[in-house]
Every structure is written in C-alpha cells, then in structure tokens.
Amino acid sequence: MLADEFGREVTGVRVSLTDRCNFDCVYCHNEGLGDTRGPMDPQDDEMSTDDVVRFLEVAAEFDVEAVKFTGGEPMLREDLEEIVARTPDSMAASLTTNGTFLPGRAPALVDAGLERVNVSQDALDPEAFAQITKSGAYDAVLEGVEAALDAGLDPVKLNMVVFEHTAGYVPEMVDHVAENDGLQLQLIEYMPELTGKPEWNIDIRRVHDWLAERADEIERREMHDRKRYWIGGGKGDGGMVEIVDPVENPTFCANCHRVRVTHEGYLKGCLNRNDDLRPMGEMTKPEIREAFREVVANRVPYYGEYMIRNEDGEWELNDEYVGVQPSAD
C-alpha cells in the first residue's frame, strides 16, 4: 500500500465517470474541478470502460481497498454495470448518484457487485428540492432510494449539503432517517472555496452542537476523523447521522486516505486542488503505475500544510508548494 510523506496510506479512490449530469445543483463543484459540465450525450474525453478497469486493476496492485464511482451523474454511463462487474474482487465498489436512474438498474448493479450507494437528497420538500437542484425529479429520487433498498443496498446513505438554502431542513432530514430503517444521513459542509458564494456558508459547528444534544450515542470514525451521531437509539438501533466537515480543518486533511480520478483520466491528489493533476498518458498499466506513485508521493494535507495560517490567523498558500506540483498542461 502506498503512503505519502505524511504517513497517509491511500486506501480508497474516487473515480469520476463523467461530468455530465441531469441536475444543475447550485452548490456543484464537480469533484473539485468546478461546474464544468458539458452536453448530456457521451463525450470522447471520458475514460473508456477498459481505461477505468485498467486503472482499478493497478490500484488493486497497490492494495487499494475501495472505489467510489462519482460524476457528474455516473449512472449516465450505460457501461456502469460492466465497470462494476469488472472491478477487482479485492475492492469494495460504491456509488454516489442523484438516484433518478436507480429504478430499473439497482438490481443489475447489485448483481454486478455494487455494495453501497449514496443518494443526493438535500430536502424533503419538493419545491425546495427543485430550487436547489434545478430539477423536478424529487419523486424520482425517492423512488430511487426505495429501489436501492429493495435491491439490497442497505443502508442507503443520503447526502445533504448544508448551507444557507438547506440548513433549515436538517432537523426534518434527521428525523426522516431516524424513523426509516435502512437510511443514514451524511451532512456535507458547504465548500465556498470550490463553489464560490461564501455568503451561503453557515457555521457547521452549530450543527455538531445540535446533534450532540439529540444523540443517544456519538462515535468517531478513523476516516477523516469524522463524528457519527446515532439518533433515536444507540449504534445499530437508531438513525445514523455523519458530518463531513473539511473546511479549515487540518484534522480532516491529516486523515485523508483518498486519491481521485477525473473523467478525463487525470489523477488528483486533493479535492481542493487542481495544480496537482497528473495525466496517465495512454492509460497503459506502466503509465498508470508511474502516475499513481507520483501523485501519492506528492500528496500533502490541504489545511495545515498546503494552506497555513499567517500571523493574523488567516489561511494562506504555503510558499513551499508554489510551482512544485505537476499540472495537466
């Protein structure tokens, strides 16, 4: 297993299969690349099925334990079932989706080997959902969640980005997962450094404090040093709510064990950075191995290393890393 110079082993990869999406969420950052979505039709710049599988086979050589397929909307790829089926047996395969294509495809994905699914659902109110996602697909998302549960993808984790437009819906969503078996909730801190509009940001610590008051049990996960709150019962009995809070959080970055792959076939060591993109050439296994080793070797924690606090307590770029990392050019 490869590790960077900060001792962070790379145990997982996130592979973006496309930047196409049938939603237009106001907070979208497209895996840190910015809202770069193109036409809805398949594009020539997307990695082929064989390219994706070849990368995963190399990642498995380095003992990577898990892959999460993302986008865009990864279910716009008609070859998704084949990609999942061809994922090395040693790697747990999961998916982040808006859920609209799960009805009709969830059983085939499970048969192919998909183990877990995250479904984006930012509100339980159809009008609020439409304003956030610029989509009228609220009912389709609910149907997708049910389809995933029926297919055996239990628990289904609902992803909710917490910012000005959604914060008021957090209590209702927490009650929703506490009252419905098979559902969990992942509250994701809004990242203005990737999406702009800092005025939409809220203090995520308020959400932590509110959950701590309600929780029957609090658990700390090793991954990213995240907290889990069990509502309506202890661990295994109540609804699980987890907060992903990377913004200005050196502890989070110090516990990051993921490398990302863009839909075009670039390796990316950090969500927040695009100056570390590393092409994998013609996607031959030797080229992938070389690129993977280089990206892991150059990984640094974003907060606390790449970004450091100045004398005024403000975050600024660490001069040590200016102009050091390779780019996609």
Side-chain angles (χ1 to χ4, degrees):
M1 186 173 290
L2 297 181
D4 59 35
E5 64 179 33
F6 299 89
R8 300 179 302 168
E9 294 180 331
V10 174
T11 59
V13 292
R14 289 178 65 98
V15 179
S16 175
L17 298 178
T18 182
D19 67 346
R20 295 174 286 134
C21 189
N22 56 322
F23 281 13
D24 190 18
C25 299
V26 297
Y27 56 76
C28 179
H29 59 69
N30 195 15
E31 288 291 320
L33 294 175
D35 194 356
T36 60
R37 286 163 296 167
M40 289 289 290
D41 296 330
Q43 301 297 299
D44 292 338
D45 62 355
E46 293 177 354
M47 286 185 293
S48 70
T49 309
D50 289 341
D51 288 340
V52 175
V53 172
R54 200 176 302 114
F55 167 76
L56 294 177
E57 289 172 348
V58 170
E61 292 176 9
F62 294 116
D63 297 322
V64 171
E65 300 167 349
V67 55
K68 183 177 286 292
F69 296 111
T70 70
E73 172 47 56
M75 294 193 72
L76 286 172
R77 289 281 297 247
E78 295 182 0
D79 58 349
L80 178 59
E81 287 84 351
E82 180 182 353
I83 290 172
V84 173
R86 294 174 61 187
T87 296
D89 292 340
S90 60
M91 299 176 68
S94 60
L95 174 72
T96 294
T97 173
N98 61 37
T100 55
F101 300 103
L102 281 170
R105 291 181 72 180
L109 285 167
V110 171
D111 289 344
L114 189 70
E115 298 184 23
R116 293 186 298 107
V117 66
N118 290 51
V119 177
S120 297
Q121 186 176 345
D122 294 295
L124 290 170
D125 175 75
E127 291 186 6
F129 182 88
Q131 291 175 354
I132 296 163
T133 65
K134 307 300 180 184
S135 163
Y138 178 78
D139 290 337
V141 173
L142 297 186
E143 292 171 8
V145 171
E146 288 301 315
L149 291 172
D150 290 344
L153 291 168
D154 182 348
V156 171
K157 186 175 288 186
L158 304 180
N159 284 356
M160 179 182 187
V161 177
V162 182
F163 63 120
E164 184 180 83
H165 293 58
T166 62
Y169 300 107
V170 169
E172 183 180 13
M173 190 69 79
V174 170
D175 289 340
H176 178 62
V177 299
E179 295 166 0
N180 289 275
D181 292 339
L183 298 183
Q184 297 181 344
L185 179 61
Q186 185 165 255
L187 299 174
I188 303 172
E189 185 178 16
Y190 175 71
M191 304 182 73
E193 64 267 46
L194 295 180
T195 59
K197 297 188 181 299
E199 67 273 16
W200 287 356
N201 197 31
I202 68 164
D203 186 354
I204 201 68
R205 291 174 297 183
R206 293 166 48 201
V207 183
H208 274 292
D209 292 342
W210 181 81
L211 285 170
E213 291 179 357
R214 292 201 57 190
D216 296 281
E217 185 175 345
I218 301 175
E219 175 189 11
R220 187 180 293 275
R221 290 184 69 191
E222 180 179 352
M223 184 177 73
H224 293 160
D225 197 32
R226 297 181 188 175
K227 282 186 177 179
R228 280 179 162 178
Y229 301 89
W230 296 88
I231 310 295
K235 183 176 178 180
D237 296 322
M240 191 282 289
V241 182
E242 181 175 39
I243 294 184
V244 180
D245 52 357
V247 180
E248 298 188 3
N249 188 346
T251 301
F252 187 97
C253 294
N255 288 276
C256 178
H257 298 280
R258 288 177 173 170
V259 161
R260 297 166 188 264
V261 183
T262 74
H263 69 283
E264 296 176 302
Y266 290 93
L267 281 164
K268 195 172 189 285
C270 176
L271 172 66
N272 286 20
R273 297 174 58 186
N274 288 313
D275 63 341
D276 64 344
L277 290 171
R278 176 68 161 80
M280 291 186 280
E282 298 299 318
M283 300 295 293
T284 66
K285 284 193 173 182
E287 289 173 315
I288 296 170
R289 291 186 191 103
E290 179 185 359
F292 197 85
R293 288 191 182 99
E294 182 175 333
V295 166
V296 173
N298 288 327
R299 289 179 80 239
V300 299
Y302 186 76
Y303 289 109
E305 189 65 34
Y306 184 79
M307 297 291 289
I308 54 177
R309 290 195 182 277
N310 60 25
E311 294 180 355
D312 297 323
E314 299 174 341
W315 290 101
E316 64 179 22
L317 181 63
N318 186 349
D319 291 339
E320 179 179 349
Y321 299 107
V322 175
V324 173
Q325 302 296 333
S327 70
D329 297 331

